[in-house]
Amino acid sequence: MPVSPDKIVIIIPSYNEGARILKVVTAIKEHGFHNIVVVDDGSTDDSIELVRHLNITIIQHLVNRGAGAATETGLKYCREILNPETVVMIDADTQHDPNDIRKLIDAHENQEADITIGNRFMESRGNVPLRNWFYNQVANVVTGLIAGKNVRDSQSGFKVFNKRALNQIIVEQDKFEHCSEILIKGLEYNFKIIEVPIHVYYSPETSGKGQHFFNGIRTFINLMHSVLFKSHSK
Amino acid sequence: MRIYQVIVPFLGIIGIVFTIRQFRKGINTFFESLLWSLLWLFISMVAIFPDEITFFLSRSIGIKDHINGIIFIGLAISFLLNFKLFDSLKKQNKIITELVRKMALEKKQDRTKEE
């Protein structure tokens, strides 16, 4: 039986997204999902003020701690307060298509997955810029080596968790390496992880986010830390 | 045997013991502990077998001087300090994130109660 939209929570970590966050939240609401948690990760712009009137949950970090930290704040809020059946995580930068939310949830439910990943490269490179594609492929190789499994889109921020994944996966990495961390932990816990092709739209403002050489090095080092987590929270 | 050949491995042993203790306390990950232990081991080995290793290194990178003792003691102390800084930074970062999260969630719950 399909999960009612009332039991689905959409988490959107956001940092200085300007008007893009308004576009994303409005589109998600138009698709019938009204339980939206926006985690503002210490934005210094007025992006949060733009969505405040939309009857959504807003949680604000006082200072910027990173996408992983914001995601975990949203997950923790779901675990402790909302108690949903399904959680969807989506980027705030209009990169993901809200039309794909239903597709991900349907596949997630039909295949009884614990984690569903929106895969940007499943069909082709599509309109992913070459630089982003390259960094993602490197991240896939590193994550795959650590996880011991072939990974095709380790850095996707578009994911669905069921209750089991929500309760067991505690995100410990503050920055972009949290995407790999989720996959590695999921595989370690023997969760059923499936991938669903998604559409992505890159704009000049969003294509460079997190995609710098030194960011890559930092992500790699932090990811190596997470290889042998010291505090798995099962 | 020179004095530095005793001092540096001694510092190396302290470093490795400290590293293992940090790992057992759950402060460092296995990877961090392995990395630091290997670094301490390397410095100690260079101090114990300075000629073999330094000649190989000097041939490789072109350094020919023999003030290795001072350099290695300096390096060992420098690594120790770096290690402590690295540890502190990681712990502080984790604490700050937890604090920011706690404050954000408490503020949200307070607002919900007010509404």
Side-chain angles (χ1 to χ4, degrees):
Chain A
M1 193 176 152
V3 176
S4 148
D6 293 342
K7 285 280 175 189
I8 297 169
V9 171
I10 317 283
I11 296 175
I12 313 173
S14 172
Y15 176 63
N16 285 350
E17 292 298 348
R20 289 186 293 271
I21 182 74
L22 176 64
K23 205 172 159 187
V24 171
V25 173
T26 309
I28 292 171
K29 283 181 89 87
E30 280 169 7
H31 282 81
F33 301 101
H34 296 284
N35 293 331
I36 299 171
V37 176
V38 172
V39 184
D40 175 44
D41 191 23
S43 293
T44 50
D45 67 2
D46 62 347
S47 48
I48 276 314
E49 298 313 314
L50 298 174
V51 294
R52 211 176 272 288
H53 66 284
L54 290 175
N55 194 24
I56 57 170
T57 301
I58 295 171
I59 302 170
Q60 285 180 283
H61 282 180
L62 281 175
V63 289
N64 179 253
R65 297 307 299 157
T71 302
E72 174 54 24
T73 299
L75 291 171
K76 194 173 165 75
Y77 186 72
C78 287
R79 260 177 239 125
E80 293 178 357
I81 308 292
L82 301 176
N83 195 27
E85 291 295 323
T86 305
V87 172
V88 179
M89 284 151 272
I90 187 168
D91 287 358
D93 59 2
T94 67
Q95 182 192 123
H96 300 135
D97 186 349
N99 276 313
D100 286 332
I101 296 177
R102 180 43 70 189
K103 189 164 86 169
L104 253 72
I105 291 171
D106 287 347
H108 184 78
E109 288 170 6
N110 293 339
Q111 297 184 48
E112 295 179 348
D114 293 304
I115 299 172
T116 299
I117 310 282
N119 188 322
R120 296 165 289 176
F121 312 108
M122 213 158 166
E123 288 166 348
S124 67
R125 205 188 98 202
N127 61 350
V128 179
L130 185 64
R131 186 177 65 166
N132 296 55
W133 178 85
F134 174 74
Y135 281 125
N136 276 287
Q137 295 310 310
V138 173
N140 290 346
V141 170
V142 173
T143 309
L145 285 172
I146 295 166
K149 196 180 172 184
N150 187 25
V151 177
R152 289 184 291 185
D153 191 0
S154 62
Q155 302 307 296
S156 175
F158 201 175
K159 298 184 192 72
V160 182
F161 276 13
N162 66 2
K163 199 171 238 178
R164 190 171 161 225
L166 170 68
N167 288 331
Q168 287 186 228
I169 291 186
I170 312 293
V171 177
E172 290 171 277
Q173 299 296 320
D174 286 349
K175 310 289 181 191
F176 284 103
E177 56 274 12
H178 77 283
C179 292
S180 297
E181 182 194 0
I182 288 171
L183 266 177
I184 294 164
K185 284 185 172 175
L187 288 166
E188 202 176 288
Y189 296 163
N190 288 321
F191 283 169
K192 184 174 181 182
I193 302 174
I194 63 165
E195 293 177 305
V196 175
I198 55 166
H199 301 99
V200 277
Y201 305 97
Y202 283 92
S203 65
E205 299 89 48
T206 60
S207 61
K209 290 177 82 179
Q211 308 288 334
H212 305 290
F213 179 73
F214 290 108
N215 248 354
I217 299 285
R218 191 187 59 197
T219 301
F220 175 75
I221 291 170
N222 286 333
L223 194 55
M224 292 311 289
H225 294 163
S226 66
V227 173
L228 300 146
F229 294 101
K230 54 182 179 286
S231 56
H232 284 294
S233 314
K234 283 200 179 192
Chain B
M1 179 169 281
R2 306 288 175 93
I3 294 174
Y4 77 85
Q5 289 180 298
V6 177
I7 295 173
V8 175
F10 180 69
L11 284 174
I13 290 167
I14 293 175
I16 291 171
V17 169
F18 184 72
T19 304
I20 293 168
R21 281 184 59 189
Q22 298 289 85
F23 174 66
R24 293 182 75 172
K25 282 182 190 168
I27 295 166
N28 291 339
T29 62
F30 179 80
F31 178 75
E32 285 165 5
S33 307
L34 185 69
L35 183 74
W36 283 106
S37 298
L38 287 175
L39 280 169
W40 284 116
L41 191 66
F42 173 74
I43 292 167
S44 303
M45 293 306 286
V46 173
I48 295 167
F49 307 106
D51 289 344
E52 291 83 350
I53 297 174
T54 55
F55 278 127
F56 170 75
L57 287 176
S58 64
R59 272 199 304 275
S60 307
I61 58 174
I63 295 173
K64 291 176 183 171
D65 209 340
H66 265 291
I67 52 167
N68 299 332
I70 292 168
I71 291 172
F72 290 129
I73 289 172
L75 269 178
I77 293 168
S78 167
F79 272 123
L80 182 67
L81 292 175
N82 266 327
F83 185 36
K84 288 296 293 172
L85 276 174
F86 183 75
D87 257 2
S88 304
L89 197 64
K90 272 185 73 81
K91 275 188 268 182
Q92 295 303 319
N93 265 329
K94 196 164 186 173
I95 290 167
I96 291 169
T97 299
E98 280 167 11
L99 186 66
V100 167
R101 180 173 297 132
K102 196 167 191 281
M103 288 171 79
L105 292 173
E106 279 179 3
K107 195 175 168 189
K108 171 65 202 149
Q109 276 164 296
D110 288 347
R111 275 194 179 173
T112 310
K113 276 178 200 164
E114 282 170 19
E115 285 161 17

